[in-house]
Amino acid sequence: MGLGRYTIYLLLAYCICWIKAQQDVPIVKTFNFDLEDIQWSSSTVGFILTASWQVYRTSDEGSTWILQSTNAYMRGITSIESIRMDTVDPNKVLFFGESTSNWQTLDGGQTYTPVISLGNTDTSAGIFFHPSRSGYIIAHTNCDDLTGCTAIYSVDMGNNWDILAENIYQARWGTNDLNNNPVVFLHHADSTSSFGYTPDLGKSFVKLIDWVTGSVFTSRFIFVGALDLSMGMEIELLTCSLAVSGTCTSTASFSRSHFPFGDDLPNTGYTILDDSTGAAWLGVNHGPAYGSRWGNIYISGEEGYRYSLAIEHVNQDFGIFDYSPVHGLEGVYLANNITNWQQNKADKNINTLVSWDNGGQWAYLTPPTKHADGSPILCTGTCTLNLHGETSWLWGEAAPFYTNENAIGLIVAVGSIGEKLDTKNYNTYLSRDGGVTWQELASGLTIYEFGDHGGILVYADYTQSTNTILYTLDEGTTPSQSFQFDKVRKIKISNIITSPGGTGQKFMVLGTDGTNDYVYTIDFSPLKERVCGNDDYEEWTPSDGRTNKECLLGRRVTYSRRKPQADCFNDRDTDHIVSSDNCVCEWEDWECDLGYTEQQNSDGSFSCALTGNLQPDPPANCPPETTYTVSKGYRKVVGDSCIAGLDLSGVTKWCPGSSAIKSYGWVAAVVVSAIVLALIVAGFFAWRNERVREKIVDAVFPIVEKIRGLRSGGEGSRYSRVGVRPGSLADEEFGLGGDGEGDLEDDSLEDEEGAKELGDNDIANDSFEPRG
């Protein structure tokens, strides 16, 4: 009897241990569909569009997916071509179908309503939601390469549509005018390819610029590329700062961009890379329009049109630069530099560099000293850590260096140690201090994703089919654990994604077995059931590793983040910053101004020497009663908030504005009118010339916007997105077969979607250049 009781106790204890063991492993759900695109209304509610044009919905972060054609409100609808979400209220979603058949939901997919558009919507030409007015939409219909599109608009989430303009290449929302009326910018497919705006939803049009080749809109700037007919059909870049001009509704608000290269280097394409720190980062292709191997990256002042060289000879392909901000840390950037740029070789010698001061100075990455198994890393000669960037992901070779704004300080990447990047031998590396120090996480080429604010890092083999993932719950402090997500089937993994922001505990593993496509949702919540308490967090202040000042961009910022060994779930959605104090200005807070280049002095110090032409004093555009600055050769790094200390700022002067000068205004008006008339006549006869007309038609094109959402703190990497193939007319990240906006995104004048959304809106490398 007693033995029986003990036997029961033992069996009961065994059952408890067995149940606990089952709870301590991830939960897997398998779905058999080809994921083409995914959009998230919230951290738990999302929509999948498959390659067969079917829509699935989840309300539990991807644990279950319900086919929406079985929904009573959407029954029978199986041909959805695109999913677009309202910028202001992501619970409002439009589903664009074949022809004019569209559907709408106003409650995150609980109910649906059919809506009809005015024509066959061309989603590749752009569907744009207003940055501040919910339900305001611009779409493009009936598009043609030469005659452009018909732009239509709705102010009630697609229930009713009106024609905005015909024969246009692109229409985009601007900021509201002083009377709070919506402004729409239009790029016309007319004889002069004009760019301007309508203040009254198409009733009138105000022309600003002629011979426009494309435009890019960010949260801080509007960039317009225009042909300079006097310079042999070269493109000049015009910029308007929204912070300076407000609405950008006057020709004078667009300034010609000035670069230090002048006429010394050709410029065959521009790529808008980032503006999260208030400066515009611009990649310029200085090689052939197609097939160029490298470009320089320039950074502007706050006004957006005076550029200084940030880093030269950066690896790039088709306007995609190996460059990325470290999201979550202001002013920290990674870039891949080509050292053999003068040699026209397919084999590029690539080194990865990091900047901790908004591009002012760059440094090589310090390699780790041990392999993942603890054995020493043996390296002779020049030994630096070099990583794969966006171009490697573009061609499907390797995942790029990757960060997430909610995984503070963490960087994961694939690369090698040596004199240059080894494109055949790979390992996976991790940094948890913004790129100052690194460790080898795993051997081999992997694909990866962060979750739970960086508390979960999931990665898997990217070279061959597998049914196993690896994961770390302590930022690589202890060896990673493996988990078999399928007992039988192996798939070639194409991506690992999670819900917006990288804060959840559920991951979606995407891949194919060669016949069918699969999505595995892996839930790690059973491994982290306890919610973190105050003792589970640490305070961390980033630095560049060279000094003990811990000052980046002129301030000492302290972040709160979970300790690596804390076995808990981080449910904090509040600001990560604990404190921010300005530092005293030193040399590191200044950079060379436009027309000046850093040079080393005889005593080993550095200074900025004049290498270009001095700016006119006063400048050409200098309205009365305003001021301008005469440079001493330096300017404070944009976004730098240091105070007192070293002051290298220029001298401020007043613009001329005497009554004597004003009295000659009528003479200037006559001269300007004569010039304008001459240009119109010249343009007319040039247009009649067939060869000139063909060149203009080839050069005028709607911008192909390609990057990650420009927003403070940034989105995720381009590679984390799904649904766009290279060469497509979309502005998302690369995805299955290629994975934006980065995106200059579809909805541009605002901070866009979460870091890992895989959809239409997202900043990364926006570029524009002539067609042909």
Side-chain angles (χ1 to χ4, degrees), residues 433-476:
D433 55 12
V436 177
T437 61
W438 294 81
Q439 69 179 81
E440 184 180 293
L441 180 68
S443 60
L445 177 62
T446 65
I447 189 167
Y448 28 72
E449 177 59 290
F450 290 116
D452 188 23
H453 297 81
I456 306 174
L457 172 56
V458 175
Y459 58 101
D461 193 321
Y462 191 57
T463 61
Q464 59 187 352
S465 296
T466 182
N467 56 2
T468 302
I469 60 168
L470 294 104
Y471 65 92
T472 173
L473 306 180
D474 56 12
E475 301 175 8

Short mmCIF file of all heavy atoms in Angstrom, two decimals, residues 433-476:
data_model
loop_
_atom_site.label_atom_id
_atom_site.label_comp_id
_atom_site.label_asym_id
_atom_site.label_seq_id
_atom_site.Cartn_x
_atom_site.Cartn_y
_atom_site.Cartn_z
N ASP A 433 27.27 46.88 -27.91
CA ASP A 433 27.63 48.23 -27.48
C ASP A 433 27.78 49.18 -28.67
O ASP A 433 28.65 50.03 -28.71
CB ASP A 433 28.91 48.22 -26.65
CG ASP A 433 30.08 47.55 -27.34
OD1 ASP A 433 29.98 47.28 -28.56
OD2 ASP A 433 31.09 47.28 -26.67
N GLY A 434 26.90 49.00 -29.69
CA GLY A 434 26.90 49.90 -30.82
C GLY A 434 28.08 49.78 -31.74
O GLY A 434 28.43 50.74 -32.43
N GLY A 435 28.74 48.62 -31.78
CA GLY A 435 29.83 48.39 -32.72
C GLY A 435 31.22 48.62 -32.17
O GLY A 435 32.20 48.53 -32.92
N VAL A 436 31.35 48.90 -30.87
CA VAL A 436 32.68 49.11 -30.28
C VAL A 436 33.40 47.76 -30.13
O VAL A 436 34.56 47.62 -30.52
CB VAL A 436 32.58 49.83 -28.93
CG1 VAL A 436 33.96 49.97 -28.29
CG2 VAL A 436 31.94 51.20 -29.11
N THR A 437 32.73 46.78 -29.55
CA THR A 437 33.31 45.44 -29.39
C THR A 437 32.39 44.42 -30.04
O THR A 437 31.17 44.65 -30.17
CB THR A 437 33.51 45.08 -27.91
OG1 THR A 437 32.23 45.08 -27.23
CG2 THR A 437 34.44 46.08 -27.23
N TRP A 438 32.98 43.27 -30.42
CA TRP A 438 32.22 42.23 -31.13
C TRP A 438 32.56 40.85 -30.58
O TRP A 438 33.63 40.64 -30.02
CB TRP A 438 32.55 42.28 -32.63
CG TRP A 438 32.09 43.54 -33.30
CD1 TRP A 438 32.72 44.75 -33.30
CD2 TRP A 438 30.88 43.70 -34.05
NE1 TRP A 438 31.99 45.66 -34.02
CE2 TRP A 438 30.86 45.05 -34.48
CE3 TRP A 438 29.84 42.85 -34.40
CZ2 TRP A 438 29.81 45.56 -35.26
CZ3 TRP A 438 28.80 43.35 -35.17
CH2 TRP A 438 28.80 44.69 -35.59
N GLN A 439 31.64 39.92 -30.77
CA GLN A 439 31.87 38.53 -30.46
C GLN A 439 31.38 37.68 -31.62
O GLN A 439 30.49 38.10 -32.38
CB GLN A 439 31.13 38.11 -29.19
CG GLN A 439 29.60 38.07 -29.33
CD GLN A 439 28.89 37.64 -28.07
OE1 GLN A 439 28.70 38.45 -27.17
NE2 GLN A 439 28.52 36.37 -28.01
N GLU A 440 31.98 36.51 -31.80
CA GLU A 440 31.49 35.58 -32.81
C GLU A 440 30.33 34.81 -32.21
O GLU A 440 30.47 34.10 -31.21
CB GLU A 440 32.60 34.62 -33.24
CG GLU A 440 32.17 33.69 -34.38
CD GLU A 440 33.26 32.74 -34.80
OE1 GLU A 440 34.29 33.21 -35.34
OE2 GLU A 440 33.10 31.52 -34.56
N LEU A 441 29.16 34.95 -32.83
CA LEU A 441 27.95 34.28 -32.33
C LEU A 441 27.86 32.86 -32.83
O LEU A 441 27.48 31.94 -32.09
CB LEU A 441 26.71 35.08 -32.76
CG LEU A 441 25.36 34.52 -32.33
CD1 LEU A 441 25.21 34.63 -30.81
CD2 LEU A 441 24.23 35.27 -33.03
N ALA A 442 28.19 32.64 -34.09
CA ALA A 442 28.10 31.31 -34.68
C ALA A 442 29.00 31.24 -35.91
O ALA A 442 29.30 32.26 -36.53
CB ALA A 442 26.65 30.99 -35.07
N SER A 443 29.42 30.06 -36.26
CA SER A 443 30.19 29.88 -37.48
C SER A 443 29.22 29.72 -38.65
O SER A 443 28.12 29.19 -38.51
CB SER A 443 31.10 28.65 -37.38
OG SER A 443 30.32 27.49 -37.16
N GLY A 444 29.63 30.18 -39.80
CA GLY A 444 28.82 30.00 -40.99
C GLY A 444 27.91 31.18 -41.29
O GLY A 444 27.82 32.16 -40.55
N LEU A 445 27.20 31.07 -42.42
CA LEU A 445 26.30 32.09 -42.93
C LEU A 445 24.89 31.85 -42.40
O LEU A 445 24.33 30.77 -42.58
CB LEU A 445 26.30 32.05 -44.46
CG LEU A 445 25.36 32.99 -45.20
CD1 LEU A 445 25.71 34.43 -44.91
CD2 LEU A 445 25.44 32.71 -46.71
N THR A 446 24.32 32.85 -41.72
CA THR A 446 23.00 32.69 -41.13
C THR A 446 22.10 33.87 -41.53
O THR A 446 22.55 34.88 -42.05
CB THR A 446 23.06 32.62 -39.59
OG1 THR A 446 23.52 33.89 -39.08
CG2 THR A 446 23.98 31.50 -39.13
N ILE A 447 20.81 33.70 -41.26
CA ILE A 447 19.83 34.76 -41.38
C ILE A 447 19.20 34.93 -40.01
O ILE A 447 19.05 33.96 -39.25
CB ILE A 447 18.80 34.42 -42.47
CG1 ILE A 447 17.90 35.63 -42.74
CG2 ILE A 447 17.99 33.19 -42.12
CD1 ILE A 447 17.08 35.48 -44.02
N TYR A 448 18.80 36.16 -39.63
CA TYR A 448 18.52 36.41 -38.21
C TYR A 448 17.41 37.44 -38.01
O TYR A 448 17.01 38.14 -38.93
CB TYR A 448 19.80 36.92 -37.52
CG TYR A 448 20.74 37.66 -38.44
CD1 TYR A 448 20.46 38.92 -38.92
CD2 TYR A 448 21.94 37.05 -38.85
CE1 TYR A 448 21.33 39.58 -39.78
CE2 TYR A 448 22.81 37.70 -39.71
CZ TYR A 448 22.50 38.97 -40.17
OH TYR A 448 23.36 39.62 -41.02
N GLU A 449 16.95 37.51 -36.74
CA GLU A 449 15.92 38.45 -36.35
C GLU A 449 15.90 38.64 -34.83
O GLU A 449 16.15 37.69 -34.09
CB GLU A 449 14.54 37.97 -36.83
CG GLU A 449 13.37 38.83 -36.43
CD GLU A 449 13.46 40.26 -36.92
OE1 GLU A 449 14.33 40.99 -36.39
OE2 GLU A 449 12.70 40.64 -37.81
N PHE A 450 15.63 39.88 -34.39
CA PHE A 450 15.49 40.20 -32.98
C PHE A 450 14.02 40.14 -32.57
O PHE A 450 13.12 40.46 -33.35
CB PHE A 450 16.00 41.61 -32.67
CG PHE A 450 17.49 41.78 -32.77
CD1 PHE A 450 18.04 42.62 -33.72
CD2 PHE A 450 18.34 41.11 -31.90
CE1 PHE A 450 19.41 42.79 -33.81
CE2 PHE A 450 19.71 41.27 -31.98
CZ PHE A 450 20.25 42.11 -32.93
N GLY A 451 13.78 39.78 -31.31
CA GLY A 451 12.46 39.88 -30.69
C GLY A 451 12.62 40.26 -29.23
O GLY A 451 13.74 40.28 -28.69
N ASP A 452 11.52 40.57 -28.58
CA ASP A 452 11.53 40.90 -27.15
C ASP A 452 12.60 41.94 -26.81
O ASP A 452 13.41 41.76 -25.91
CB ASP A 452 11.74 39.63 -26.33
CG ASP A 452 11.56 39.87 -24.83
OD1 ASP A 452 10.88 40.85 -24.46
OD2 ASP A 452 12.12 39.08 -24.04
N HIS A 453 12.62 43.06 -27.58
CA HIS A 453 13.58 44.15 -27.36
C HIS A 453 15.03 43.67 -27.41
O HIS A 453 15.89 44.21 -26.72
CB HIS A 453 13.32 44.84 -26.01
CG HIS A 453 11.98 45.49 -25.90
ND1 HIS A 453 10.83 44.79 -25.60
CD2 HIS A 453 11.61 46.78 -26.02
CE1 HIS A 453 9.81 45.62 -25.56
NE2 HIS A 453 10.24 46.83 -25.82
N GLY A 454 15.31 42.66 -28.20
CA GLY A 454 16.66 42.11 -28.28
C GLY A 454 16.91 40.97 -27.32
O GLY A 454 17.97 40.35 -27.37
N GLY A 455 15.94 40.69 -26.45
CA GLY A 455 16.09 39.60 -25.48
C GLY A 455 16.04 38.23 -26.12
O GLY A 455 16.46 37.24 -25.52
N ILE A 456 15.52 38.14 -27.34
CA ILE A 456 15.52 36.90 -28.11
C ILE A 456 16.17 37.21 -29.45
O ILE A 456 15.77 38.14 -30.15
CB ILE A 456 14.10 36.36 -28.34
CG1 ILE A 456 13.34 36.20 -27.01
CG2 ILE A 456 14.15 35.03 -29.08
CD1 ILE A 456 11.88 35.81 -27.19
N LEU A 457 17.17 36.46 -29.81
CA LEU A 457 17.79 36.54 -31.13
C LEU A 457 17.70 35.17 -31.77
O LEU A 457 18.26 34.19 -31.26
CB LEU A 457 19.25 36.99 -31.03
CG LEU A 457 20.07 36.94 -32.33
CD1 LEU A 457 19.42 37.77 -33.43
CD2 LEU A 457 21.50 37.40 -32.08
N VAL A 458 16.95 35.07 -32.87
CA VAL A 458 16.75 33.82 -33.58
C VAL A 458 17.55 33.88 -34.88
O VAL A 458 17.53 34.89 -35.59
CB VAL A 458 15.26 33.59 -33.89
CG1 VAL A 458 15.07 32.34 -34.75
CG2 VAL A 458 14.48 33.45 -32.59
N TYR A 459 18.27 32.78 -35.19
CA TYR A 459 19.00 32.74 -36.44
C TYR A 459 19.01 31.30 -36.96
O TYR A 459 18.73 30.35 -36.23
CB TYR A 459 20.41 33.29 -36.30
CG TYR A 459 21.29 32.62 -35.26
CD1 TYR A 459 22.25 31.69 -35.64
CD2 TYR A 459 21.18 32.94 -33.90
CE1 TYR A 459 23.08 31.10 -34.69
CE2 TYR A 459 22.00 32.35 -32.96
CZ TYR A 459 22.94 31.42 -33.36
OH TYR A 459 23.76 30.83 -32.42
N ALA A 460 19.31 31.16 -38.26
CA ALA A 460 19.27 29.84 -38.89
C ALA A 460 20.22 29.80 -40.07
O ALA A 460 20.63 30.84 -40.60
CB ALA A 460 17.84 29.53 -39.36
N ASP A 461 20.57 28.61 -40.48
CA ASP A 461 21.46 28.39 -41.62
C ASP A 461 20.83 28.98 -42.89
O ASP A 461 19.66 28.76 -43.18
CB ASP A 461 21.69 26.89 -41.81
CG ASP A 461 22.85 26.59 -42.75
OD1 ASP A 461 22.98 27.31 -43.77
OD2 ASP A 461 23.61 25.65 -42.49
N TYR A 462 21.63 29.75 -43.63
CA TYR A 462 21.13 30.39 -44.84
C TYR A 462 21.71 29.75 -46.11
O TYR A 462 21.41 30.19 -47.22
CB TYR A 462 21.48 31.89 -44.82
CG TYR A 462 20.80 32.72 -45.87
CD1 TYR A 462 19.41 32.76 -46.00
CD2 TYR A 462 21.56 33.47 -46.77
CE1 TYR A 462 18.79 33.52 -46.97
CE2 TYR A 462 20.95 34.25 -47.75
CZ TYR A 462 19.57 34.27 -47.84
OH TYR A 462 18.95 35.03 -48.81
N THR A 463 22.51 28.71 -45.94
CA THR A 463 23.18 28.10 -47.09
C THR A 463 22.50 26.85 -47.60
O THR A 463 22.67 26.48 -48.76
CB THR A 463 24.64 27.76 -46.73
OG1 THR A 463 24.64 26.80 -45.65
CG2 THR A 463 25.40 29.00 -46.31
N GLN A 464 21.73 26.17 -46.76
CA GLN A 464 21.12 24.91 -47.16
C GLN A 464 19.81 24.70 -46.41
O GLN A 464 19.51 25.39 -45.44
CB GLN A 464 22.07 23.75 -46.87
CG GLN A 464 22.47 23.63 -45.42
CD GLN A 464 23.53 22.58 -45.17
OE1 GLN A 464 23.88 21.81 -46.07
NE2 GLN A 464 24.07 22.52 -43.96
N SER A 465 19.04 23.72 -46.89
CA SER A 465 17.76 23.43 -46.25
C SER A 465 17.98 22.91 -44.84
O SER A 465 18.93 22.18 -44.56
CB SER A 465 16.99 22.38 -47.08
OG SER A 465 16.67 22.91 -48.35
N THR A 466 17.07 23.28 -43.95
CA THR A 466 17.19 22.89 -42.55
C THR A 466 15.81 22.83 -41.92
O THR A 466 14.83 23.38 -42.45
CB THR A 466 18.08 23.90 -41.79
OG1 THR A 466 18.24 23.48 -40.43
CG2 THR A 466 17.45 25.29 -41.80
N ASN A 467 15.73 22.17 -40.80
CA ASN A 467 14.50 22.17 -40.00
C ASN A 467 14.82 22.62 -38.56
O ASN A 467 14.07 22.31 -37.63
CB ASN A 467 13.83 20.81 -39.99
CG ASN A 467 14.77 19.70 -39.50
OD1 ASN A 467 15.91 19.95 -39.12
ND2 ASN A 467 14.27 18.46 -39.51
N THR A 468 15.92 23.35 -38.42
CA THR A 468 16.38 23.75 -37.10
C THR A 468 16.72 25.23 -37.08
O THR A 468 17.32 25.76 -38.03
CB THR A 468 17.63 22.94 -36.70
OG1 THR A 468 17.31 21.55 -36.72
CG2 THR A 468 18.10 23.33 -35.31
N ILE A 469 16.33 25.90 -36.02
CA ILE A 469 16.77 27.27 -35.77
C ILE A 469 17.65 27.27 -34.53
O ILE A 469 17.63 26.33 -33.73
CB ILE A 469 15.59 28.23 -35.55
CG1 ILE A 469 14.76 27.79 -34.33
CG2 ILE A 469 14.73 28.36 -36.79
CD1 ILE A 469 13.76 28.81 -33.84
N LEU A 470 18.43 28.31 -34.37
CA LEU A 470 19.20 28.52 -33.15
C LEU A 470 18.72 29.82 -32.52
O LEU A 470 18.25 30.72 -33.20
CB LEU A 470 20.69 28.58 -33.44
CG LEU A 470 21.29 27.26 -33.96
CD1 LEU A 470 21.54 27.37 -35.46
CD2 LEU A 470 22.57 26.92 -33.22
N TYR A 471 18.87 29.91 -31.21
CA TYR A 471 18.41 31.12 -30.53
C TYR A 471 19.22 31.36 -29.27
O TYR A 471 19.76 30.42 -28.65
CB TYR A 471 16.91 31.04 -30.21
CG TYR A 471 16.52 29.96 -29.21
CD1 TYR A 471 16.44 30.24 -27.85
CD2 TYR A 471 16.21 28.68 -29.65
CE1 TYR A 471 16.07 29.26 -26.94
CE2 TYR A 471 15.83 27.68 -28.74
CZ TYR A 471 15.77 27.99 -27.40
OH TYR A 471 15.40 27.02 -26.49
N THR A 472 19.31 32.62 -28.89
CA THR A 472 19.92 33.00 -27.63
C THR A 472 18.96 33.90 -26.88
O THR A 472 18.33 34.79 -27.48
CB THR A 472 21.27 33.71 -27.85
OG1 THR A 472 21.75 34.22 -26.59
CG2 THR A 472 21.16 34.87 -28.82
N LEU A 473 18.84 33.66 -25.58
CA LEU A 473 17.97 34.46 -24.72
C LEU A 473 18.75 35.42 -23.84
O LEU A 473 18.16 36.12 -23.02
CB LEU A 473 17.10 33.54 -23.84
CG LEU A 473 16.27 32.48 -24.57
CD1 LEU A 473 15.48 31.64 -23.56
CD2 LEU A 473 15.32 33.12 -25.57
N ASP A 474 20.08 35.45 -24.02
CA ASP A 474 20.92 36.30 -23.17
C ASP A 474 21.97 37.06 -23.98
O ASP A 474 23.07 37.30 -23.52
CB ASP A 474 21.58 35.47 -22.07
CG ASP A 474 22.41 34.31 -22.62
OD1 ASP A 474 22.65 34.28 -23.86
OD2 ASP A 474 22.82 33.44 -21.85
N GLU A 475 21.60 37.42 -25.23
CA GLU A 475 22.47 38.22 -26.09
C GLU A 475 23.83 37.56 -26.31
O GLU A 475 24.86 38.23 -26.37
CB GLU A 475 22.63 39.63 -25.52
CG GLU A 475 21.31 40.37 -25.36
CD GLU A 475 21.46 41.72 -24.70
OE1 GLU A 475 22.61 42.17 -24.49
OE2 GLU A 475 20.44 42.35 -24.39
N GLY A 476 23.83 36.24 -26.43
CA GLY A 476 25.04 35.51 -26.74
C GLY A 476 26.00 35.31 -25.59
O GLY A 476 27.13 34.87 -25.79
#
